[in-house]
Amino acid sequence: MKRILLLVTVLIIMGQSASAQYRNPIIPGYHPDPSICRVGDDFYIVNSSFQYFPGVPVYHSKDLLNWELIGNVLDRQSQLPLKGATSWLGIYAPTIRYHNGTYYMITTNVGNGGNFMVTAKDPRGPWSEPVWLEQQGIDPSLYFENGKCYMVSNPDNTIMLCQIDPKSGKQLTPGKALWQGTGGRYPEGPHLYKKDGYYYLLISEGGTEMAHSLTIARSKKIDGPYEANPHNPLLTHCSMAGQTNPIQGTGHGDFVQAGDGSWWIVFLAYRNYGGAYHHLGRETYLAPVEWKEGAWPVVNGGHPVDTLMNVKVPFATTQLQKRYVRTTFDKPLGPEWVYIQNPDSVCYERLRGKLRLTASLSSLTDNRHPTFVGRRQESADFTAETRLDFTQSLSGDEAGLTVYQINDGHADFCLVQGKNGMSLQLKMTMKSVSFRKKTLQIPNTICSLRVRSDGKMYYFDYSLEGEKYETFSKVDCALLSTEVVGGFTGVMLGMYASKNRDYTGNGRTYADFDYFDYTEQ
């Protein structure tokens, strides 16, 4: 009897220790279009990656709150051609699903091939070569039932359903129109689920800006007709209730059921800073779902989703926060590091614990496979720091740190070789406007560079001896926001090197970087 009472007491304590609060976003920074699946006790999320290589980051969690980046689905150039891609192109909205021992990821490569899927036995990889698909429209998704594989996507602004062969990708039935949504623009991001005898079709509408929303319809038959939820939208902050919320642009979601039977939804949204501007990109958020038998699902009790959620999750867990990451270059770069388009491998070397970037003729603005490697800015308050040696340079060459939103929206804190020696510069590119914000002649070809932010301003600091920093200049974060310079991504913090295009000789230019520190305040 005492053992039973002890066990009951332990279970009660464990239940009480489950987190009653958590913070959104659960995956901060540029992580849009989340798709989620659960396999046993494991949850996996994938996100869009647009012009960056490798593509489609994969996150793993045991508790829905703490997520570890375990790899990228598309990590070979044969899987991911990105010629000419910007953050308007490349990999859109992937979906991850699991069926009979196999993981499936289906997505669209806009500008380089269209819809395709890849498979793996382990989400950490390796993933297969692409299987290209006939039905187009962005944001494809898969649904498996009774030995059949169904695909939905949105050609011609209509959610279309077809059956495909999951091995060959061959389309087995003509596409059939299911739903056009409730009248919002861009009906997209479709996902199918079955519950209590109904097929539920979840989509996004309104575009991925302020009017973004989630809507849902259902049918007794997979091919319709579908009846719209009378209480649509299922989720939006473009409303009186959500208009003052710091989280905006809510949409593009995916349901998941936890092991205890509770339902949850992951979705994208962004956080405004300094007014109606967002520069971190669209991030991944989590909200509870009430889904009674035979009823329509209700997200977060019908209330707006907040950055601090007073919701008990079904796990005894503590939500951890990132603080400090140092990247040294004595081993291969981790999966958080990405390149713009397909990288030219000869431009990236690890030598004696340093990362050597050989300058390319393409600048960041030119966007022709520039020499760049970067990671996501995942907090509004952060510091990023590196030290570089740019001794091996010619007049007009440059290398340094970049705060990069898109090829025509970035701030470059760099060393520039000139006829009169080395200078430190802060250069801005904002759409069709490019200018030097500040220039300072320095006696060295070696310099430590630092960029930090409080969410409203970027501050650029330098140190010649590597210890005491001086503030060089600052830039309003809003100038690198999606609202000002455009794009579908978010700020990347990266190292780069570019060569003077007017130079006609054979001299080689490279910059050696000692380390890269990223600290969240």
Side-chain angles (χ1 to χ4, degrees):
M1 185 65 180
K2 289 183 179 180
R3 290 182 179 179
I4 295 175
L5 289 174
L6 178 61
L7 178 60
V8 170
T9 301
V10 169
L11 290 174
I12 291 173
I13 292 172
M14 289 178 63
Q16 290 175 343
S17 67
S19 175
Q21 285 186 336
Y22 69 89
R23 291 195 174 275
N24 270 318
I26 54 169
I27 308 180
Y30 151 49
H31 292 99
D33 307 318
S35 176
I36 188 169
C37 74
R38 178 177 70 91
V39 181
D41 295 330
D42 298 289
F43 297 91
Y44 298 98
I45 281 179
V46 294
N47 298 98
S48 299
S49 52
F50 293 91
Q51 78 271 40
Y52 293 104
F53 182 93
V56 188
V58 187
Y59 284 85
H60 169 255
S61 177
K62 289 283 191 180
D63 57 19
L64 288 173
L65 300 185
N66 296 292
W67 294 88
E68 177 191 5
L69 179 62
I70 60 172
N72 294 277
V73 173
L74 307 174
D75 60 4
R76 304 188 299 277
Q77 303 217 26
S78 58
Q79 298 170 307
L80 184 55
L82 289 170
K83 183 178 180 180
T86 70
S87 71
W88 301 108
L89 301 173
I91 296 297
Y92 278 38
T95 294
I96 186 169
R97 293 293 184 258
Y98 176 80
H99 179 67
N100 285 350
T102 298
Y103 292 87
Y104 294 80
M105 192 284 295
I106 183 171
T107 189
T108 311
N109 189 337
V110 177
N112 282 282
N115 288 334
F116 69 95
M117 66 179 177
V118 292
T119 59
K121 294 299 183 182
D122 185 331
R124 291 168 175 78
W127 291 77
S128 71
E129 290 297 301
V131 174
W132 297 96
L133 304 167
E134 180 181 338
Q135 181 169 292
Q136 293 304 301
I138 61 170
D139 307 352
S141 183
L142 296 174
Y143 175 76
F144 294 89
E145 185 178 49
N146 297 328
K148 296 180 179 179
C149 178
Y150 297 91
M151 169 185 167
V152 283
S153 60
N154 76 332
D156 301 319
N157 284 318
T158 302
I159 308 302
M160 304 285 289
L161 172 80
C162 68
Q163 186 183 336
I164 65 170
D165 182 330
K167 292 184 178 179
S168 68
K170 180 179 173 144
Q171 187 165 324
L172 304 178
T173 62
K176 181 174 181 180
L178 298 185
W179 195 37
Q180 288 188 310
T182 63
R185 65 176 186 164
Y186 308 140
E188 58 194 17
H191 293 303
L192 278 170
Y193 315 87
K194 191 173 186 181
K195 185 178 183 295
D196 307 326
Y198 285 100
Y199 295 92
Y200 287 86
L201 176 59
L202 177 70
I203 72 166
S204 299
E205 297 185 49
T208 194
E209 301 86 20
M210 187 72 74
H212 211 26
S213 65
L214 283 168
T215 58
I216 196 166
R218 70 183 183 183
S219 173
K220 287 287 188 179
K221 296 181 179 179
I222 194 169
D223 59 353
Y226 278 80
E227 165 201 9
N229 180 0
H231 304 293
N232 276 326
L234 188 67
L235 173 65
T236 187
H237 281 192
C238 189
S239 60
M240 290 183 66
Q243 63 184 344
T244 61
N245 196 296
I247 300 169
Q248 292 296 324
T250 55
H252 202 107
D254 197 5
F255 290 122
V256 69
Q257 189 175 26
D260 68 343
S262 62
W263 284 90
W264 300 82
I265 190 169
V266 293
F267 60 95
L268 71 77
Y270 57 81
R271 291 176 287 172
N272 283 332
Y273 293 94
Y277 302 96
H278 75 281
H279 60 288
L280 295 188
R282 298 168 298 158
E283 307 170 293
T284 294
Y285 291 75
L286 176 74
V289 177
E290 182 183 32
W291 204 342
K292 295 180 180 178
E293 184 174 355
W296 295 98
V298 177
V299 175
N300 198 38
H303 304 295
V305 177
D306 214 332
T307 52
L308 180 61
M309 299 288 290
N310 291 303
V311 177
K312 185 173 288 188
V313 296
F315 305 97
T317 189
T318 299
Q319 192 174 21
L320 304 176
Q321 300 295 323
K322 293 181 181 177
R323 285 292 178 259
Y324 170 74
V325 179
R326 162 160 281 203
T327 300
T328 57
F329 303 119
D330 52 358
K331 58 184 177 181
L333 295 176
E336 70 273 21
W337 290 95
V338 296
Y339 308 88
I340 296 172
Q341 303 171 348
N342 302 102
D344 183 350
S345 60
V346 300
C347 293
Y348 306 87
E349 300 175 87
R350 289 182 295 108
L351 296 171
R352 297 179 294 278
K354 300 179 186 294
L355 178 64
R356 176 167 293 179
L357 300 186
T358 298
S360 70
L361 287 172
S362 172
S363 69
L364 295 174
T365 303
D366 293 335
N367 199 48
R368 297 191 304 270
H369 308 279
T371 299
F372 162 97
V373 60
R375 54 155 298 153
R376 292 160 173 82
Q377 179 186 340
E378 296 177 314
S379 173
D381 300 277
F382 80 96
T383 299
E385 175 188 320
T386 191
R387 186 167 179 83
L388 76 151
D389 181 342
F390 202 34
T391 304
Q392 186 65 36
S393 55
L394 301 165
S395 181
D397 299 341
E398 64 181 78
L401 281 177
T402 180
V403 180
Y404 182 94
Q405 177 72 248
I406 189 174
N407 66 296
D408 52 3
H410 48 94
D412 308 325
F413 190 33
C414 54
L415 298 184
V416 180
Q417 184 65 266
K419 294 180 181 179
N420 298 319
M422 191 67 70
S423 66
L424 179 63
Q425 298 186 12
L426 179 61
K427 303 170 71 174
M428 290 290 298
T429 297
M430 297 168 53
K431 306 307 288 182
S432 61
V433 179
S434 295
F435 60 95
R436 292 181 182 89
K437 194 171 188 297
K438 187 174 180 180
T439 299
L440 175 69
Q441 291 295 130
I442 59 174
N444 298 354
T445 58
I446 300 174
C447 188
S448 295
L449 304 178
R450 183 173 74 185
V451 57
R452 54 192 170 88
S453 180
D454 57 9
K456 295 181 180 179
M457 302 292 294
Y458 287 109
Y459 300 90
F460 299 88
D461 310 323
Y462 74 101
S463 174
L464 297 180
E465 77 284 352
E467 295 181 2
K468 183 179 179 181
Y469 278 87
E470 295 183 45
T471 297
F472 185 73
S473 190
K474 62 183 180 180
V475 170
D476 194 313
C477 293
L479 297 180
L480 293 173
S481 67
T482 297
E483 287 75 15
V484 174
V485 296
F488 281 160
T489 57
V491 166
M492 286 284 195
L493 306 167
M495 298 164 285
Y496 78 100
S498 63
K499 193 173 181 61
N500 182 358
R501 287 176 293 175
D502 297 327
Y503 179 75
T504 57
N506 296 317
R508 184 186 180 201
T509 292
Y510 58 79
D512 287 338
F513 293 82
D514 288 352
Y515 60 89
F516 190 98
D517 285 349
Y518 175 78
T519 307
E520 294 181 354
Q521 308 302 326

